[in-house]
Amino acid sequence: MKDLELLAPARNADIGIAAIDCGADAVYIAGPEFGARKAAGNSIEDIRRLCEYAHRFGVRIFLTLNTILYDNELEAARRLLEEAEEAGVDAIIAQDPAVWKMTSLPVHASTQCAIRTPEAARFYESLGSSRLVLERQMSLDRIREIRAATSCELEFFVHGALCVCYSGQCYMSERIERRSANRGECIQACRSLYDLVDGNGKVLVKDKALLSLRDYNLRSYLADLADAGICSFKIEGRLKGISYVRNVVRAYSIALDNLVAKHPGYYRRTSFGRSTGGFSPDLDKTFNRTYTKLFIDGSRGRWSSMDAPKSVGEEIGTVVSIDRTPGRLSSGDGQMEVIVKSDNPAVCLRNGDGFSFVSKDHNEIVGFRGDVCRGVRIACRNVPELYVGARLFRNLDSAFEKELDSNLPVRQIPVSLEVAVRSADDRFLLDVMALSQDGREIRFVHDGGTTLASNPFRMRDMFYSQLGKVTGMYSFTLEGLHAESLGGKMPFLPVSSINAIRRECAAKLDGMPLRAIPLYSAEASGNTAVLSDSGGQVTYKSNVANEVTKKIYRDCGATDVERAYEITHRHDVELMRTKYCIRYELGMCPVHQNAAPPERLYLLNNGKRYSLGFDCARCEMTVS
């Protein structure tokens, strides 16, 4: 049996609980310090509250302690790890190798470790990693190579925002603002606007988000990823709101359930409880920069969102009329009425919907809210930038948002019941057996009194209807009612007495620990001869920032460890390396498109110039 886990992000404990209710098998969340999203910290008390709720369903909680650590922070990090373990955290997601030396909890090597080769995977496995969170810019074939080279669990991102650079090795933010992405302070330089110029200073592209990628969506690749060896499917979004998390988690949970159902006895989810009812998820109605599968199938495509580095939403149609006549509309001056032509007859605009469009000069996403929407007419404040012919998108569906907030799924653990009726000493006795989805089994005898039911068929129906209900977090189903020894007779029990059987089952189950599926754990192998694909050379990209980590690398035979994190003082190093290629996006690739691009290309932003390099042998681009 292969375990499959849907791993959801949580900015805070309430969002984590919402993710669990919508079907997450695990949640990752930051503590008060050392998380790679500095704006998403949480107290240990909130972490404990989330753990207590999660463990009722066998859901796991992973703490992100995935920044690099300085020497003066090691003791604080150690205390945080101890507090997290006491609060119930199941595993730690880490980047800095020092963390492996400071906790007895399973440690997952973060995507910040930039694991994209079998050599790097073996190095982090040798440290004692129980799981590797792989780099996103990878193909299924490379995942299979890493799976064959290692024995620990593999995790892969399947949805959300994409860093253009290999994770953990982007130094643009640090170069521009002295704010390190490896310290949780990324300024998102990849979403900024740049000019592209050649070696002669000629502007080839002006004011475009040339480093901005679309958002990941691999929902249709879950079966392929599972077959390649991925056990955990990770959703990005520790800075996202609760409606985003609910919608995306529900969509992927349903997809994973379908995958499990197609392979009975082969796959299973790692947590318990079914999320049923509630809203119908729709990924097009949630924040996205349009979607991409990136490099998962090993083929290069157009991955850029340079025209729309923000979420534009679902396309509604084309603006065919704008009336800005003052005073004509009931809401008075400063208003306009817009008419949209849509090819989709199902489009239904509603009051309060949010809309967006790309400005006429193609360098800005402009948004506005519709005050009154009737059919394809939108009445709202005047938006001077809107023009006839603009493609209009809806980036906030007010009705869908209300649905996400009010019509929520409910998560319950299935429990099967068997009841056998017998008589003893002129009384009826009911032998009750209950088995929960996670394997907890209870047996007890319930007194059925002395009264015989005048209508045994109706009594049986009442048993099935009353015992097949929900109590607390349990969804009961009466699988069998056996009364053969009574010769077709049935005792009479009032509804309250039958309900008491169900409530007693729930109480007894609550008194037993849930039989959670154990989390894979590992120990350091000591076989650390191969550091990475760098041939044993530790560079600034290893992000070494403390003495403990330096010793770990030296013990592996590394050289020149002392200078491994002096990036802020050097101007001759790569700030980014990526599978994404601006030349390819613009039709200038000499390999795939037989183009003849300029010899030199640069990005300009606020008077600063960054050199682009092209490693065609690896099909990678660099920014320096």
Side-chain angles (χ1 to χ4, degrees), residues 90 105 161 191 217 256 272 305 525 529 534 574:
D90 297 283
L105 288 171
R191 308 298 180 189
N217 184 336
L256 271 187
F272 301 103
S305 64
S525 67
S534 63
E574 290 178 3

Side-chain angles (χ1 to χ4, degrees), residues 122-127 523-531 555-556:
R122 283 195 291 265
F123 169 66
Y124 282 100
E125 183 180 33
S126 73
L127 292 181
E523 294 182 3
S525 67
N527 181 23
T528 53
V530 178
L531 281 171
D555 290 345
C556 300

